[in-house]
Amino acid sequence: MTNTAPSGELHAIIMAGGSGTRFWPASRAARPKHFLPLADGTSLLQAAVDRVAPVVGAARTWLITNPVLARSLDSVLPDFPAAQVLVEPEPRDTAPCAALATALVEARHPGAVLAFLPADHVIAPQERFAALLQRAHALAAESGAVVMLGVRPTHPATDYGYIERGAPIDGAQPPAYRVPRFREKPDRATAAEFLRQGTFLWNSGVFLWTTETLLAAMAASHPALHASTRAMLAAAREGDRARLDRAFAGAPKTSIDYAVMEKAPRVVVVEADLAWNDLGSFAALHAVAPPDAHGNVVSLHGGARALLEDARDCTVYGEGPRAVVVFGARDLFVVAVGDAVLVCPKDRADGLKALVRRLPEAGLGDLL
Amino acid sequence: MTNTAPSGELHAIIMAGGSGTRFWPASRAARPKHFLPLADGTSLLQAAVDRVAPVVGAARTWLITNPVLARSLDSVLPDFPAAQVLVEPEPRDTAPCAALATALVEARHPGAVLAFLPADHVIAPQERFAALLQRAHALAAESGAVVMLGVRPTHPATDYGYIERGAPIDGAQPPAYRVPRFREKPDRATAAEFLRQGTFLWNSGVFLWTTETLLAAMAASHPALHASTRAMLAAAREGDRARLDRAFAGAPKTSIDYAVMEKAPRVVVVEADLAWNDLGSFAALHAVAPPDAHGNVVSLHGGARALLEDARDCTVYGEGPRAVVVFGARDLFVVAVGDAVLVCPKDRADGLKALVRRLPEAGLGDLL
């Protein structure tokens, strides 16, 4: 296989749905992680849009999100064209969402190559990312494979999915490999072994396909999903939104990784030598606001102030006209945003997602 | 000595000045500890007024406070007569303050017995306190001594002053003793020894005297203070507020304990078997809001809510329409009031007073 020019234009679809549990109380149902001001004051969503623009151009950048977030997009992305915002009628996990976006873009731009990108990840440097996306575009256009970006691991992470890299596709750069298998979040020992072997990459959540590739993969891996996707495509081509929504509502609720990637006959991974972080929790904030000499990470917005005295390895996130004073503490998260304050030792951050789920039964459901 | 009827009427003077450092950020310069809503929603100041009312009556209850707090008294004590609010023109420590109040009340009620009481202590039960105050009143009226209330210690406190009790005054109840000496905040071993000996009492900050007794004690202990106090008395009797304020401004800046009690020739202590707490810090909040089964103390006001999950021995104080969520933490103070949030491990509470003093240099002086 040679690295020829792509046959289809590249379109970027930024997946900007999602709930706000991981960064609660900074993130809320109507204000997910990628809406938050981070570090330089812009949002992760804005950064995601800016990241793909040099490669695909503004006219071929799309968002897919839920109806609630679609209404408040203006607050974080005031210049984004409304016609390029795709709305997922209800949450049905990632497979129906990706199929819906594929149908909607394919109907308007037949034969396009679609790159799906999470809205809420930190990725650097920009130039290297652009080169990776171009390489993935070429592969997706010509190989008939689902193409993924796999990030070279820097530590034995247990909270990421891993992609094993197999035989190289060709000698071109950045390198790309066949994918013999996927491994979901491994235990610590397995993650360490993956790192030692050097043949496992983190699943970045970035993937590319053509409609043809997607349908072929689904036909092999998930016939019901295949049927739903074909119905969505037909409805989209006819511009029948009601029928499209019905087809979406009837699609199996499943993840794209489980339903497609892990079973597709042809999956290719481009090895990405990137600084990448999915900001899965406040623990990852150091990726956007580096720690000071005492290991403290402080992220303040909207007039917030903070004083950390004799504090070490604490992470403070504040928004709004208030001050957070942390004295004598070690390894704490302190988040003060709007009408909620959260205090949690860092080593308990794993439990926050479940805690936030329990807020309604504690009478605090209005804070979600 | 027999327990005869008092010769002078009892007046209560509640000392309601003071700054807001100990309970910051709940307490502020313009809102000291005794203004805060605690437990049942009323303030310590209201409780102090209610505590003396059954003994002295509303018409003989006075407050002495600073000009800033005098202006905001309405917010916590809306029914208190303005004519019974005495204003200290500037902070000059407790001796000039007590002398000023003595001069102002003596001028209007010659021969009165004055009982001085801190505004910001927790005292129970009410009936026992009333009996103690009546006994102290009788002793102050007839003995020519400065009379103090000394609380029977329940633990080896190192943050209280101690009063040694000497020979009993008489056989009456509650028991009263001569005072051979005072001991300021002892170290732990000394405090334990005091507790073992059973002859040391906590200085409750409640003391009584007549003007005659005060002047006699000052003449012996502190001639300069004696002169200032005589000048204040003369000015107050002539109703010359400007001259009174000048005499106050010229009085030595010193504490009543150091300048008078510890040197007065005749000091008597009434032994008080009371539940008493000076609420010196958030650590003492359990005195007004008892801990739950997990040792957590939660005090919420003005619409504040809290969720403590897997938290132990934490103290949460919240005010205003916000929620404080503490997850997985041990032994923490979390205070969220107005425009400030404070997080501090309990074992670092000793450093909070100094921390609050440093807020201005950290650019947070507006939060005091």
Side-chain angles (χ1 to χ4, degrees):
Chain A
M1 185 184 296
T2 56
N3 194 0
T4 61
S7 63
E9 271 190 336
L10 183 64
H11 287 246
I13 301 171
I14 295 167
M15 291 172 291
S19 72
T21 57
R22 294 297 186 89
F23 271 55
W24 186 91
S27 59
R28 309 286 177 105
R31 186 172 182 262
K33 188 176 65 173
H34 47 285
F35 276 43
L36 301 186
L38 288 168
D40 62 356
T42 65
S43 64
L44 289 170
L45 179 55
Q46 180 73 61
V49 169
D50 293 347
R51 191 181 301 127
V52 297
V55 184
V56 302
R60 289 182 282 151
T61 301
W62 306 77
L63 296 182
I64 184 158
T65 189
N66 63 50
V68 171
L69 298 185
R71 281 194 291 276
S72 53
L73 264 183
D74 261 3
S75 64
V76 284
L77 219 57
D79 300 326
F80 198 85
Q84 287 157 236
V85 177
L86 313 175
V87 178
E88 187 184 18
E90 55 164 326
R92 293 198 71 74
D93 211 336
T94 50
C97 170
L100 176 69
T102 299
L104 284 164
V105 177
E106 169 72 17
R108 293 175 227 190
H109 302 276
V113 173
L114 309 184
F116 288 84
L117 308 106
D120 56 356
H121 294 180
V122 173
I123 296 174
Q126 170 61 35
E127 301 70 28
R128 201 174 300 159
F129 176 78
L132 289 159
L133 194 56
Q134 282 158 341
R135 166 76 155 139
H137 174 205
L139 287 165
E142 71 195 11
S143 71
V146 174
V147 180
M148 306 181 75
L149 284 195
V151 176
R152 199 181 294 163
T154 54
H155 64 272
T158 55
D159 48 353
Y160 296 153
Y162 284 74
I163 303 170
E164 188 170 357
R165 61 170 222 216
I169 294 294
D170 55 29
Q173 288 296 322
Y177 305 87
R178 295 190 194 288
V179 175
R181 62 173 176 156
F182 291 83
R183 289 289 294 268
E184 255 317 295
K185 301 173 185 174
D187 61 27
R188 190 100 195 147
T190 307
E193 178 60 19
F194 286 176
L195 192 65
R196 199 194 58 75
Q197 287 180 29
T199 54
F200 284 84
L201 305 169
W202 289 333
N203 184 350
S204 69
V206 176
F207 54 90
L208 300 85
W209 59 42
T210 59
T211 302
E212 196 183 349
T213 298
L214 176 63
L215 288 174
M218 281 179 172
S221 68
H222 202 312
L225 189 59
H226 180 252
S228 297
T229 302
R230 285 176 58 91
M232 285 189 248
L233 263 166
R237 284 183 179 127
E238 289 169 27
D240 187 341
R241 181 76 206 202
R243 188 148 66 88
L244 177 63
D245 287 355
R246 281 199 302 279
F248 174 84
K253 207 167 180 171
T254 181
S255 85
I256 195 69
D257 284 333
Y258 180 76
V260 179
M261 313 310 190
E262 298 180 10
K263 301 181 181 97
R266 298 173 68 198
V267 182
V268 164
V269 64
V270 177
E271 182 170 322
D273 181 17
L274 286 172
W276 173 83
N277 196 306
D278 79 343
L279 293 189
S281 77
F282 276 111
L285 254 197
H286 60 81
V288 284
D292 66 16
H294 305 292
N296 298 311
V297 174
V298 178
S299 186
L300 302 170
H301 310 278
R305 293 178 290 170
L307 171 64
L308 283 74
E309 191 166 303
D310 192 18
R312 289 186 183 275
D313 302 314
C314 290
T315 292
V316 172
Y317 184 98
E319 259 191 85
R322 75 189 61 208
V324 177
V325 177
V326 178
F327 175 65
R330 302 281 177 274
D331 296 302
L332 278 186
F333 291 125
V334 180
V335 186
V337 176
D339 50 3
V341 175
L342 170 71
V343 179
C344 169
K346 279 185 173 178
D347 62 3
R348 301 300 305 277
D350 284 352
L352 284 178
K353 197 171 174 180
L355 172 82
V356 172
R357 261 200 309 268
R358 288 191 295 273
L359 289 178
E361 69 201 58
L364 299 174
D366 57 303
L367 299 178
L368 288 175
Chain B
M1 187 184 292
T2 56
N3 192 0
T4 60
S7 63
E9 270 189 338
L10 183 64
H11 287 246
I13 301 171
I14 295 168
M15 290 171 293
S19 72
T21 57
R22 295 296 187 89
F23 271 55
W24 186 89
S27 60
R28 308 286 176 106
R31 186 171 180 261
K33 187 176 67 176
H34 48 284
F35 275 43
L36 301 186
L38 289 167
D40 61 356
T42 65
S43 64
L44 289 171
L45 179 56
Q46 179 73 60
V49 169
D50 293 348
R51 192 181 299 126
V52 297
V55 184
V56 303
R60 288 182 284 152
T61 301
W62 306 78
L63 297 182
I64 183 159
T65 189
N66 63 50
V68 171
L69 298 184
R71 283 193 290 275
S72 53
L73 264 182
D74 261 3
S75 65
V76 285
L77 220 57
D79 300 326
F80 198 85
Q84 285 158 238
V85 178
L86 312 176
V87 179
E88 189 184 16
E90 53 165 327
R92 294 197 70 75
D93 212 337
T94 49
C97 170
L100 176 69
T102 299
L104 285 165
V105 177
E106 169 72 17
R108 293 175 227 189
H109 302 277
V113 173
L114 309 184
F116 288 83
L117 308 106
D120 56 355
H121 294 180
V122 173
I123 296 174
Q126 170 61 38
E127 302 70 27
R128 201 174 301 160
F129 176 78
L132 288 160
L133 194 57
Q134 283 158 342
R135 167 76 152 135
H137 174 207
L139 286 166
E142 72 195 11
S143 70
V146 175
V147 180
M148 306 181 76
L149 283 196
V151 176
R152 202 181 292 166
T154 54
H155 64 274
T158 56
D159 48 353
Y160 295 153
Y162 284 73
I163 303 170
E164 186 170 359
R165 60 169 225 218
I169 294 293
D170 55 29
Q173 288 297 321
Y177 304 87
R178 295 187 194 289
V179 175
R181 62 176 176 152
F182 291 83
R183 290 289 293 266
E184 255 316 296
K185 301 171 183 172
D187 61 26
R188 190 100 194 147
T190 307
E193 176 60 21
F194 286 175
L195 192 65
R196 199 194 57 76
Q197 287 180 28
T199 54
F200 285 84
L201 306 170
W202 288 333
N203 185 349
S204 69
V206 176
F207 53 91
L208 300 86
W209 59 43
T210 59
T211 301
E212 195 182 350
T213 297
L214 175 63
L215 289 173
M218 281 179 173
S221 69
H222 203 310
L225 189 60
H226 179 252
S228 297
T229 303
R230 284 177 59 93
M232 284 190 250
L233 263 167
R237 282 183 179 127
E238 289 168 28
D240 186 341
R241 183 73 207 203
R243 188 148 67 90
L244 178 62
D245 287 354
R246 280 199 302 277
F248 174 83
K253 207 166 179 174
T254 182
S255 85
I256 196 71
D257 283 333
Y258 179 76
V260 178
M261 312 312 190
E262 298 180 10
K263 301 181 179 97
R266 298 174 67 198
V267 183
V268 162
V269 64
V270 177
E271 181 168 323
D273 181 16
L274 286 172
W276 172 83
N277 197 306
D278 79 343
L279 291 190
S281 79
F282 276 112
L285 255 197
H286 61 81
V288 285
D292 67 16
H294 304 292
N296 297 312
V297 174
V298 178
S299 185
L300 302 169
H301 310 278
R305 294 177 289 170
L307 171 63
L308 281 74
E309 191 164 304
D310 192 18
R312 289 185 185 274
D313 303 314
C314 290
T315 292
V316 172
Y317 184 98
E319 260 190 83
R322 76 189 60 208
V324 177
V325 177
V326 178
F327 175 66
R330 302 281 177 275
D331 297 303
L332 278 186
F333 290 124
V334 180
V335 185
V337 176
D339 50 3
V341 175
L342 170 71
V343 179
C344 169
K346 278 185 173 177
D347 62 4
R348 299 302 304 275
D350 284 352
L352 284 177
K353 197 171 176 181
L355 173 82
V356 172
R357 261 200 309 268
R358 287 190 297 272
L359 289 178
E361 68 200 60
L364 299 174
D366 57 302
L367 299 177
L368 289 175

